[in-house]
Amino acid sequence: MKHCFFNIIYTVILLIFLPVLLYRSIRYGKYRGGFKQKYLGRIPRREKVLAKHNGSKKNVKIVWFHGVSVGEVNLLRPLIKLIREKRPDYLPVISTTSLTGMNLANKLFGNELTVFYCPLDFSWAVNKAMLRLKPDMLVLVEQELWFNLIDAAKRSGAKVALINGRFGESGYRRYLWIRRLVAPMLRQIDLIAVQSETYAGWFRKLGASADVIRITGSVKFDGAITDRDNPDTQRLKKLAGIADDDIVFLAGSTQAPEEQYALECYEHLKADFPQLRLVIVPRHPERFNEVAEILDKSGVFWQRRSTITETLPEQEPEELKGGSSRKEVQPRILLVDTIGELGAWWGTAAIAFVGGSMGSRGGQNMLEPAAYGAAVCFGPNTKHFADITELLLRNDAAVVVHDKIDLEKFIRRCFEENGYAEELGNRSKEFVLSQRGAALRTFELLETLLSDR
């Protein structure tokens, strides 16, 4: 009966948002892929997965990891690495929901592991998926709590775990409104590994059993790269023609109007600091052209990342920025209009602004630029990363900028105050290094849980 209830709820929600979904599908190409997997549960069969990756090996246990999009998929890297190294009898498979998540999952894992779209939480889809894959364990990432999926996994005999668990405060309060529905679902989960005591308390208040809650810290610390000389960053730096004496200000995971703010700051400061370069990485691919129009209208000389080839041939200005008559080889502004590269681009930045924090989105992951030792700043709205924000600020490892004026002052200070940017960056990198170990703790908990099956 409860399955019918949730099916009806999901159907109503789908119908309400159908016009928006259709528009985004037609306009941006979203939601088109994986129809049979999403709506019918026709994910890969267990036999084919085992035959593809393990040949004749016996007693292999399939561990199904699900991360909704890019951030959650990227978070899985250190954990999957540990499993592959320490437990060859475990076979991870990866599911995701978004197109960008699928592209990244294929890039990171597609050559070695099976990657597919997760079925939507309709009972017929998730039941079919469980019958086909027969996983030994379902591992959900952060806040991927789906009533029918969890129930189907338990009824199939699989263990269920939630790792790197967290909530945004608004999300937690929404769950409180439906606590009577959430509590039975949480009590079906065998392991809830959370990032902090705050989140542990929230899960307990929502009805999760205290016996299954463990505090591991955030796996994101383990996945953060600290070496600026890594091959991906060095390749991008060479492609973009970033010289050793250039000072890169990177505005990443941005939303409107943050790109405009970053551009205006650059325009105000470039005369005083000619070594300054600007790299803008919007959060959502559908906004690439919108940001390109902002750059065009400003009259600046800029380039799209997608136009850069491996050889970076000398180009005419009109190829780089429509209407420009200046003869230059290397623009000082770059729009990154590609997917899955932000982590490596952060390694080029001396000064970093983490977007989604001056609007309504609630912030984005600030650990990547912090791990590289960049001078990190972000806006006042970081509710989705409240714990990490608090820790960074408590350790004097980042700065809050409240508006465009604050942002410009911060960048100027990084140039004018001797040692300021370097000291801030060193503190941020040291903080990230001090927080590592969550991936290993999580792996050990999953290993213990799976050994009981």
Side-chain angles (χ1 to χ4, degrees), residues 63-231:
V63 184
W64 174 359
F65 288 90
H66 174 60
V68 63
S69 192
V70 169
E72 293 78 12
V73 170
N74 201 42
L75 177 147
L76 289 173
R77 286 187 303 168
L79 191 55
I80 297 296
K81 184 173 184 290
L82 281 170
I83 291 174
R84 301 292 280 170
E85 290 174 352
K86 295 179 178 292
R87 293 304 302 253
D89 56 326
Y90 292 1
L91 178 57
V93 298
I94 318 295
S95 73
T96 187
T97 301
S98 71
L99 174 61
T100 52
M102 176 59 70
N103 290 339
L104 181 60
N106 277 315
K107 178 180 177 181
L108 294 178
F109 309 115
N111 291 334
E112 298 181 353
L113 302 175
T114 296
V115 176
F116 55 91
Y117 280 108
C118 185
L120 300 181
D121 202 43
F122 293 103
S123 60
W124 60 84
V126 296
N127 289 338
K128 173 64 74 174
M130 290 297 164
L131 284 172
R132 291 172 68 90
L133 184 60
K134 300 182 179 68
D136 296 273
M137 179 184 289
L138 172 67
V139 183
L140 307 170
V141 180
E142 292 201 339
Q143 45 194 328
E144 284 299 287
L145 297 173
W146 294 103
F147 299 91
N148 286 333
L149 179 62
I150 291 171
D151 186 68
K154 292 298 292 183
R155 286 187 289 106
S156 74
K159 295 287 187 178
V160 178
L162 178 74
I163 63 169
N164 217 56
R166 70 179 184 93
F167 289 117
E169 187 171 350
S170 58
Y172 166 64
R173 296 191 183 284
R174 284 195 295 269
Y175 275 119
L176 278 177
W177 280 97
I178 56 171
R179 185 183 181 280
R180 289 188 177 183
L181 297 175
V182 173
M185 173 186 62
L186 291 178
R187 286 195 287 270
Q188 289 183 292
I189 301 177
D190 301 289
L191 168 67
I192 300 176
V194 298
Q195 298 181 25
S196 70
E197 177 56 46
T198 297
Y199 296 134
W202 287 2
F203 273 100
R204 286 192 292 268
K205 289 180 180 178
L206 287 173
S209 171
D211 294 339
V212 305
I213 298 175
R214 299 290 183 271
I215 300 172
T216 58
S218 176
V219 178
K220 288 182 178 178
F221 288 101
D222 296 80
I225 300 171
T226 60
D227 181 13
R228 289 180 181 268
D229 292 328
N230 72 81

Side-chain angles (χ1 to χ4, degrees), residues 347-417:
T348 69
I351 304 168
F353 169 74
V354 184
S357 54
M358 285 190 181
S360 59
R361 198 166 67 227
Q364 290 298 142
N365 181 17
M366 59 280 292
L367 292 183
E368 288 180 317
Y372 282 117
V376 176
C377 68
F378 39 76
N381 185 0
T382 55
K383 60 185 179 181
H384 295 317
F385 295 85
D387 279 9
I388 293 174
T389 298
E390 181 183 351
L391 288 168
L392 283 169
L393 296 177
R394 188 189 305 164
N395 287 272
D396 295 322
V399 172
V400 176
V401 291
H402 293 86
D403 50 32
K404 179 179 63 177
I405 295 173
D406 272 1
L407 179 59
E408 184 174 329
K409 287 180 179 178
F410 174 76
I411 299 169
R412 182 175 290 277
R413 185 180 181 186
C414 287
F415 277 94
E416 294 183 342
E417 188 172 320

Side-chain angles (χ1 to χ4, degrees), residues 226-243:
T226 60
D227 181 13
R228 289 180 181 268
D229 292 328
N230 72 81
D232 288 338
T233 293
Q234 289 302 306
R235 179 180 63 86
L236 293 176
K237 184 178 178 181
K238 182 178 179 181
L239 283 176
I242 298 173

